[in-house]
Amino acid sequence: EIPTVNDMEEEDVLMMGHLFLAAKQIAKQLNIDNSGYRLIMNCNKDGGQEVFYCHLHLVGGCPLGRILKLPKDSKKLMKNTT
């Protein structure tokens, strides 16, 4: 069990790849693979993580637009990291 993305190691690559393939298969079963969907993986408190094992949220079935509304200061932070 991997608590957060920050805890991933090289040996977790294969398992995480399977997680994304499972999401792809679920999206196909739900008939949202062609129209589109979003995969979300939260990391730690500020990232919205509430349960501490790595997992994906698959969201779709309608137009999503921008899900995240970033704080005004986030643009400054983005500029400082590039």
Side-chain angles (χ1 to χ4, degrees):
E1 189 170 294
I2 306 166
T4 74
V5 172
N6 293 336
D7 299 301
M8 286 183 195
E9 301 290 340
E10 288 290 326
E11 62 264 17
D12 300 320
V13 170
L14 186 60
M15 184 195 60
M16 295 309 295
H18 284 294
L19 188 61
F20 280 87
L21 286 175
K24 172 187 166 185
Q25 292 171 345
I26 293 168
K28 187 171 181 70
Q29 290 170 355
L30 295 173
N31 294 317
I32 60 171
D33 54 328
N34 290 321
S35 61
Y37 55 95
R38 186 169 293 165
L39 298 175
I40 302 168
M41 184 177 282
N42 302 325
C43 184
N44 286 325
K45 183 181 173 187
D46 284 353
Q49 187 173 7
E50 295 180 0
V51 293
F52 285 85
Y53 55 85
C54 283
H55 61 283
L56 291 173
H57 300 267
L58 190 153
V59 182
C62 64
L64 297 173
R66 287 183 70 177
I67 285 183
L68 301 175
K69 182 174 173 138
L70 298 174
K72 291 178 183 177
D73 289 344
S74 66
K75 290 183 181 178
K76 292 177 191 173
L77 292 171
M78 299 288 276
K79 287 180 183 177
N80 291 335
T81 59
T82 55

